[in-house]
Amino acid sequence: MRMGSRISCVAVALAAFGAVASDARAAYFGNGATGFGGPIGNGTLDITSDGTNLTITLDQAASLNDVLVLYIDSVAGGFANTSSLIDATDGGRRAVSGFDGTNRTQVNFAAGFTADFGLNIASGYTALFDLESGPTHTFVSGATATGTDPRVVTLPLSAIGNPAAFNFVGTYISDSAFRSNESFGANTAGGSNPGGTGSLTFTESLAFPIAVVPEPTAVGVIGLGLLGAAMRRRRQA
C-alpha cells in the first residue's frame, strides 16, 4: 500500500470519528423559588464555550431588578463560604460579599466547592471579581454584556484561569446586600428570603465542561475499521 493512501485513510477515519473537540453547551434552570418575584428562580441560564470564550445567556422570567452573582470554582483554593468577604465599596461588591458594611447575609457552599470568582450580572452592569478576604475584591476586566432580557455576557476563559471545566452556583441579591431565596443550584432557604442578616446554604454545585469530544458515529466506526484493515495489509506486505 502506498504511503499517500495510508495517510488518506487515517485522515478520513479521524475526521469521521470526530476526534476534534466541539463547542460545549449546557442549560441550567433556576430553583423555582420566587422570593424576589421569580426572575432567577423561574429563569434559565445557557452557557456555551468555544474553547476560548464563555457566553452566558440569562433568560430571566421577570424584570432583573437586582443582581445575580455567579460564584465560580475554577482554580485551586478559594472560599467555602462568604463569611470573610468584606468589600462593600459599591453595589456590585456588596452583592458579591453579601455585606453592606454592617450586616451580613452569608452564603455557605456545598462540600467540595470553593469559590474563586464572583461574576455580577445585572440589567445595568456586569463585573467579574477575583474574591479576596481583604477590604477589596480584585476587579478582573474582560466580562462584557449586551441586552437586558436576555442578558448576554461574554467572558474570556483566561479571566477565570483557563480551566478544563468549572463548577458554579448563582444567588440573587440586591446591591444593598439583601438576599433572595432564588438561585441556580439547590439551597436550603425554602420559601423564605435570607434577607440582610440570614444565611443561604447550597446543597449542590453545577458543573460545566469547557469542551466535549463527540461520540463516534457509525461512519467513524467504519472509518476506523478500514484504517485497521489497511494497516494489517501493510504489515502482511
Side-chain angles (χ1 to χ4, degrees):
M1 182 179 184
R2 293 191 301 273
M3 183 63 70
S5 299
R6 184 166 66 89
I7 293 174
S8 297
C9 283
V10 172
V12 169
L14 291 178
F17 188 72
V20 179
S22 67
D23 292 356
R25 180 174 183 174
Y28 306 87
F29 297 92
N31 67 336
T34 57
F36 278 16
I40 299 304
N42 291 326
T44 60
L45 198 68
D46 186 88
I47 303 178
T48 61
S49 170
D50 61 6
T52 301
N53 296 293
L54 289 175
T55 300
I56 302 170
T57 302
L58 172 63
D59 190 1
Q60 63 264 27
S63 296
L64 195 68
N65 297 319
D66 297 284
V67 185
L68 171 64
V69 178
L70 295 183
Y71 291 104
I72 299 170
D73 181 4
S74 58
V75 297
F79 296 86
N81 57 61
T82 60
S83 63
S84 64
L85 306 184
I86 61 173
D87 188 353
T89 305
D90 55 38
R93 288 174 166 84
R94 286 191 291 271
V96 168
S97 297
F99 182 62
D100 66 1
T102 302
N103 300 306
R104 177 175 300 282
T105 172
Q106 182 168 314
V107 171
N108 303 305
F109 300 114
F113 182 96
T114 51
D116 306 299
F117 300 93
L119 175 64
N120 283 352
I121 301 176
S123 289
Y125 64 89
T126 295
L128 178 70
F129 296 97
D130 187 351
L131 301 180
E132 303 287 347
S133 57
T136 305
H137 301 307
T138 301
F139 174 76
V140 181
S141 62
T144 60
T146 58
T148 55
D149 185 9
R151 186 80 169 159
V152 181
V153 178
T154 302
L155 180 69
L157 285 169
S158 58
I160 58 171
N162 284 316
F166 65 87
N167 286 60
F168 73 95
V169 292
T171 176
Y172 195 42
I173 184 171
S174 73
D175 60 12
S176 61
F178 190 93
R179 194 177 307 280
S180 166
N181 60 354
E182 301 180 38
S183 66
F184 287 105
N187 70 68
T188 61
S192 301
N193 292 324
T197 57
S199 63
L200 183 148
T201 299
F202 281 97
T203 58
E204 66 174 355
S205 62
L206 305 173
F208 182 77
I210 298 303
V212 295
V213 176
E215 293 293 328
T217 63
V219 173
V221 172
I222 293 171
L224 288 179
L226 291 173
L227 174 61
M231 295 296 289
R232 287 194 297 274
R233 286 197 299 271
R234 185 172 181 272
R235 287 195 299 268
Q236 290 169 0

